[in-house]
Amino acid sequence: MSAEPRINDRIRVPEVRLVGPSGEQVGIVPLAKALELAQEYDLDLVEVAANARPPVCKLMDYGKFKYESAMKAREARKNQAHTVIKEMKLRPKIDPHDYDTKKGHVVRFLKQGDKVKITIMFRGREQSRPELGYRLLQRLAEDVQDLGFVESNPKQDGRNMIMVLGPHKKKTEAMAEARQAQEARKAEAKANPGRSQNAAEADADVEAPAEEPAEA
């Protein structure tokens, strides 16, 4: 069956409960009368509640109604937040510089409202020291606790140990803040046209998403 409502001469009932163009209740009228009013207003007679007795019909510009509904649906899809799980891999004996780099990526992901799966990879004799991975995961969780929380506690998975961090901030909130920040930068650039190219490029570097870092 078609999801489209019946309109005008496709409506096959003796009478309808009619709603006017501005939402006013006209009452129960013969179908012929409702169609006559639609012609007078240069509008369509649209069946909006087919299961009612009698069916409810409204006078409207159906083409305009369909267009506005499609635009609203498109905007809703555009603003829909999709949960993304990023992944970060570390070694249990990671050096301080690499740790800071990887922590920076985790911070960025959480700020964007994404979840982060942290994987500690054990190799060789490291597999006999799971406490090293556990302590590293605890340290990372504490370092980013202002931005995220432990959604899935550390657990052994073969040669790996896995923990999932969830963001405190919802994805929709992160997207809204990012848009606001972008608008603020545009306004600043417009107010300061003499800003150096180097400064603009620096901002672009900050905004650009980094590629997934290699394993430590």
Side-chain angles (χ1 to χ4, degrees):
M1 294 180 61
S2 174
E4 294 284 337
R6 294 188 297 182
I7 65 172
N8 300 325
D9 56 0
R10 294 180 183 176
I11 302 172
R12 304 289 187 179
V13 292
E15 58 184 16
V16 299
R17 185 178 297 277
L18 186 63
V19 179
S22 301
E24 69 275 16
Q25 297 291 330
V26 178
I28 298 175
V29 300
L31 176 62
K33 177 64 175 178
L35 290 171
E36 182 182 327
L37 289 172
Q39 288 183 339
E40 289 182 7
Y41 283 106
D42 194 22
L43 295 173
D44 299 299
L45 182 66
V46 182
E47 189 177 58
V48 295
N51 294 327
R53 291 294 180 267
V56 179
C57 294
K58 184 176 181 180
L59 297 175
M60 67 173 73
D61 183 336
Y62 187 57
K64 180 180 178 181
F65 170 77
K66 284 187 65 176
Y67 173 77
E68 291 177 347
S69 296
M71 292 300 293
K72 288 179 181 178
R74 180 180 177 183
E75 189 66 20
R77 288 194 299 270
K78 179 180 177 182
N79 294 328
Q80 187 176 7
H82 297 282
T83 301
V84 177
I85 299 181
K86 304 289 187 177
E87 183 171 13
M88 189 62 53
K89 296 181 179 180
L90 296 82
R91 294 290 304 282
K93 295 181 180 179
I94 188 171
D95 67 62
H97 174 74
D98 285 342
Y99 174 81
D100 289 339
T101 299
K102 302 238 174 182
K103 183 182 71 174
H105 289 300
V106 173
V107 166
R108 177 167 56 86
F109 294 149
L110 292 173
K111 283 183 176 180
Q112 292 173 352
D114 295 323
K115 296 182 181 182
V116 189
K117 176 184 176 183
I118 313 296
T119 301
I120 304 294
M121 301 178 299
F122 297 96
R123 294 178 181 172
R125 296 181 179 179
E126 293 174 347
Q127 297 179 59
S128 63
R129 301 289 305 280
E131 69 277 6
L132 295 178
Y134 185 79
R135 285 201 295 266
L136 181 58
L137 291 175
Q138 282 188 314
R139 174 188 173 190
L140 180 59
E142 291 174 0
D143 286 348
V144 299
Q145 61 183 339
D146 291 342
L147 298 171
F149 63 95
V150 178
E151 184 173 286
S152 178
N153 290 316
K155 62 180 180 180
Q156 197 76 26
D157 182 17
R159 294 184 178 184
N160 301 327
M161 183 174 287
I162 296 171
M163 177 181 72
V164 177
L165 295 174
H168 290 313
K169 187 183 301 180
K170 293 181 180 180
K171 185 73 172 180
T172 49
E173 295 174 354
M175 291 171 62
E177 290 184 5
R179 283 195 295 268
Q180 290 175 358
Q182 185 178 24
E183 291 172 0
R185 285 192 293 271
K186 288 181 179 179
E188 181 182 356
K190 187 175 182 180
N192 300 279
R195 190 179 177 203
S196 70
Q197 181 66 27
N198 289 337
E201 292 176 353
D203 278 357
D205 290 339
V206 172
E207 293 175 14
E211 295 182 359
E212 196 72 26
E215 299 175 2

